[in-house]
Amino acid sequence: MKKSQISSALSDFFFEYETPRQVLVRNRRVGVVCRLIQLGVLVYIIGWVFIYEKGYQSTDIAVSSVFTKMKGVGYTNVNGVERVWDVSDYVFPPQVVLYLLMNSRLSLFQGEMTGVCVNTTNTCEVLAWCPVEDDRIIPSPPLLMSAENYTLFIKNSVTFPIFGVTRSNLVEGIDADYINKCLYHPEDAPLCPIFRLGDIVKLSGFNFETIAQEGGTIGIVIDWTCNFDVAVKHCKPKYNFHGLYGNPSDTGQTRPSLGYNFRYAKHYLENSVQKRTLLKVFGIRFDIIVQSLARKFDIIPTLTAIGSGVGIFGVATVVCDLVLLYLLPKREFYKNMKFKYTDTPIQVRSRQCAK
């Protein structure tokens, strides 16, 4: 007996198919609600998941490297002292990605109190470089206003490891002849890797004379947003420029920390005495930021998106069932049509005895 039951159960399991019972309800209001919900889900899947979010593609972020080179020669004449400034004088790689000196003043920093009082001057003795610093006066106009016409060359390489694609901002058509004569312009030459400093400052929203006087920071964003479902040659960079320190329209009185500057010293010996020249320099700090996002068709996210969309279609059934079974006047009728009630053998005998 048990063996026969087991065989029957296995036979039913492997050779029979069960499907849910469906009830066709002819109700206009419920039908309209169902179709509207299904239409909304369909629009969400096609419009948002596939078109806007591109749910059929996998993504990758690039590994990037940046190389920069500044060109330009400046000339100053301060109190009859002439000087020529080249790249080694006004560019400071150790400070940041790139720091361009625009203005400076010679000063000497205060030192340590010795605890000794100087009666002749009624002051306290300080062990320091002499004379002490007075940084209240900033040279105006800035020393290197000619830097507005300096040029900055940026070479950027990105690799998308998942897709095995490597690109450079020297894309197709950017050869040596083109670089020798091009200058970046957002519309006329958007792929040229050589930038005029005055244009960078202008595109970032700052005024060149103001930023040269007191310093500032500019972010150069290189954006690699690529779709590898089309030819790789269409993956090209886009450049954006942003003033990072303060709002360009703010005045000095409304900004808590104005500009950007730092100090550095040049040490030397004179008559066997160690001396130094301390400079407080004001300049432009360039932060070069590379942001990237590459996409390519992948069957796994595609099936995942489709599966989640099909699951969301079940929302229409749940909502319509709630309306049918709990909100409509004929809800008891629909409950009897939707659910089939079964009785246990005891309940059946009790009902027969009652008859």
Side-chain angles (χ1 to χ4, degrees):
M1 182 66 178
K2 291 184 178 180
K3 184 176 181 180
S4 176
Q5 291 178 345
I6 294 175
S7 300
S8 177
L10 289 175
S11 176
D12 293 343
F13 177 78
F14 284 105
F15 302 111
E16 292 182 357
Y17 170 72
E18 297 176 357
T19 183
R21 180 184 180 185
Q22 294 184 347
V23 178
L24 179 62
V25 179
R26 298 184 180 277
N27 187 295
R28 292 184 178 181
R29 287 180 293 180
V30 176
V32 170
V33 170
C34 180
R35 299 303 174 231
L36 287 177
I37 295 175
Q38 290 177 341
L39 180 62
V41 172
L42 187 62
V43 171
Y44 165 77
I45 295 173
I46 297 176
W48 178 264
V49 176
F50 281 97
I51 297 179
Y52 185 79
E53 289 291 334
K54 294 179 172 51
Y56 59 91
Q57 294 177 316
S58 59
T59 61
D60 190 15
I61 298 176
V63 179
S64 173
S65 65
V66 177
F67 165 80
T68 62
K69 182 183 293 184
M70 185 78 70
K71 285 187 177 181
V73 177
Y75 167 81
T76 59
N77 188 335
V78 181
N79 298 326
V81 179
E82 295 182 308
R83 179 174 177 181
V84 174
W85 300 73
D86 60 17
V87 175
S88 60
D89 296 314
Y90 58 73
V91 175
F92 296 86
Q95 290 293 322
V96 288
V97 175
L98 182 65
Y99 183 91
L100 175 65
L101 183 152
M102 300 296 302
N103 203 3
S104 68
R105 73 174 305 276
L106 304 180
S107 60
L108 295 158
F109 200 70
Q110 299 180 8
E112 186 72 19
M113 302 290 290
T114 64
V116 178
C117 295
V118 182
N119 295 328
T120 56
T121 59
N122 293 326
T123 58
C124 297
E125 185 181 74
V126 178
L127 179 62
W129 296 93
C130 296
V132 294
E133 177 186 8
D134 181 7
D135 62 352
R136 293 172 296 178
I137 301 175
I138 301 175
S140 182
L143 294 179
L144 293 179
M145 277 299 296
S146 60
E148 186 175 9
N149 295 314
Y150 294 176
T151 58
L152 173 64
F153 170 69
I154 299 178
K155 186 176 182 180
N156 174 222
S157 176
V158 295
T159 298
F160 297 95
I162 294 180
F163 302 137
V165 176
T166 299
R167 296 288 290 168
S168 168
N169 65 331
L170 306 181
V171 296
E172 294 80 4
I174 309 297
D175 53 19
D177 293 336
Y178 179 79
I179 291 177
N180 290 333
K181 61 183 180 181
C182 81
L183 198 62
Y184 175 84
H185 187 277
E187 295 179 0
D188 299 334
L191 295 176
C192 179
I194 299 178
F195 306 83
R196 179 176 169 271
L197 293 191
D199 295 335
I200 294 177
V201 173
K202 182 179 179 181
L203 291 170
S204 69
F206 279 107
N207 177 271
F208 190 85
E209 184 175 356
T210 301
I211 202 172
Q213 177 76 20
E214 298 167 334
T217 300
I218 293 177
I220 302 176
V221 180
I222 307 176
D223 180 26
W224 292 88
T225 301
C226 302
N227 182 6
F228 291 145
D229 287 336
V230 298
V232 175
K233 67 179 181 179
H234 296 296
C235 179
K236 299 177 181 180
K238 293 182 180 179
Y239 302 95
N240 298 289
F241 309 91
H242 306 276
L244 300 182
Y245 279 1
N247 190 320
S249 62
D250 289 345
T251 62
Q253 287 74 22
T254 59
R255 294 162 68 180
S257 179
L258 187 64
Y260 185 84
N261 62 78
F262 68 94
R263 296 173 176 86
Y264 78 99
K266 294 183 177 180
H267 295 262
Y268 60 94
L269 288 176
E270 184 177 289
N271 298 326
S272 300
V273 178
Q274 185 180 7
K275 296 186 177 182
R276 74 171 186 176
T277 300
L278 179 66
L279 295 95
K280 181 178 181 181
V281 298
F282 301 81
I284 305 175
R285 164 178 164 162
F286 294 101
D287 287 341
I288 301 177
I289 306 165
V290 179
Q291 61 183 27
S292 61
L293 180 63
R295 297 177 178 274
K296 190 176 183 179
F297 174 78
D298 192 338
I299 189 62
I300 294 177
T302 302
L303 294 179
T304 302
I306 294 174
S308 62
V310 171
I312 297 175
F313 268 105
V315 173
T317 302
V318 173
V319 173
C320 292
D321 282 350
L322 291 175
V323 173
L324 281 174
L325 303 178
Y326 300 101
L327 299 180
L328 293 182
K330 297 181 179 181
R331 50 183 176 272
E332 294 298 329
F333 170 75
Y334 291 123
K335 283 183 181 179
N336 293 329
M337 295 299 296
K338 181 175 179 61
F339 301 108
K340 182 179 180 180
Y341 298 94
T342 59
D343 296 330
T344 63
I346 297 176
Q347 291 174 327
V348 173
R349 287 195 296 269
S350 297
R351 193 163 47 245
Q352 290 176 350
C353 293
K355 292 179 181 180

